[in-house]
Amino acid sequence: GENVEQHPSTLSVQEGDSAVIKCTYSDSASNYFPWYKQELGKGPQLIIDIRSNVGEKKDQRIAVTLNKTAKHFSLHITETQPEDSAVYFCAAMAIGFKTIFGAGTRLFVKA
Amino acid sequence: EAGVTQFPSHSVIEKGQTVTLRCDPISGHDNLYWYRRVMGKEIKFLLHFVKESKQDESGMPNNRFLAERTGGTYSTLKVQPAELEDSGVYFCASSRDRGALSGTFGSGTRLTVV
């Protein structure tokens, strides 16, 4: 069946450094790739997304890249801050169909 | 607008008992989704309602799980009888458009079966 692999499972960075989380998807029909941030005691919150007709998208300190040929997509956080500490989930879907999530990356940003 | 509300936030039950989780979606959102995350694993799709109809229930683990959305408003997910492997966090999400492109998640219900 369809699956999304996410790496690393845990990531620890120093405040101000960059963090990169990588995902690989299996379903070639996937055309929408959202990223979610889950803080303690809360549900996942959409932070950025990218569609298959775009290779890169940026929103302030967050950027996503997509390589459709390789079925890879990545989340890049620059100038990390302690409040970026959370669990991040990547996901892939064919629009109109169910969302397949990765297993999550726990990001620690050390002050 | 109020967000997606789930309750209870936590539930601890014994194996064999019944538990009912509730989700109140954002008003006007016809699409409602249930997901589950078992410790350290991915968030897995359970099912999708469009109004009161089950659009896709391919993720439901087995017939011990029953989801309803009478009247197309709030939804319940009942587990009967609960087993140890049912433990996890159950999330509900709702969206105006199909596919949760703009889906908003609730805070989840942490279910522990002992």
Side-chain angles (χ1 to χ4, degrees), chain A residues 32 36 38 41-46 49 51 87 89 93 95-104 106, chain B residues 35 37 40-45 48 56 58-59 89 91 98-108:
Chain A
Y32 174 66
Y36 294 85
Q38 186 186 5
K42 297 184 180 180
Q45 202 172 19
L46 179 70
D49 55 18
R51 293 182 188 240
V87 179
F89 293 95
M93 67 180 293
I95 292 175
F97 295 88
K98 62 188 177 190
T99 305
I100 308 296
F101 288 85
R106 185 172 292 277
Chain B
Y35 295 90
R37 187 183 190 216
K41 301 265 178 96
E42 70 273 23
I43 298 172
K44 276 199 169 179
F45 168 85
H48 169 207
D56 181 353
S58 61
V89 181
F91 291 106
R98 182 178 179 178
L101 287 185
S102 56
T104 302
F105 280 78
S107 297

Side-chain angles (χ1 to χ4, degrees), chain B residues 23-60:
Chain B
C23 169
D24 284 66
I26 292 173
S27 178
H29 281 193
D30 288 340
N31 295 275
L32 186 149
Y33 308 82
W34 283 99
Y35 295 90
R36 176 174 73 174
R37 187 183 190 216
V38 172
M39 180 69 75
K41 301 265 178 96
E42 70 273 23
I43 298 172
K44 276 199 169 179
F45 168 85
L46 296 179
L47 88 160
H48 169 207
F49 282 101
V50 177
K51 296 185 181 178
E52 67 275 9
S53 300
K54 291 175 186 173
Q55 191 71 26
D56 181 353
E57 53 184 327
S58 61
M60 294 288 264

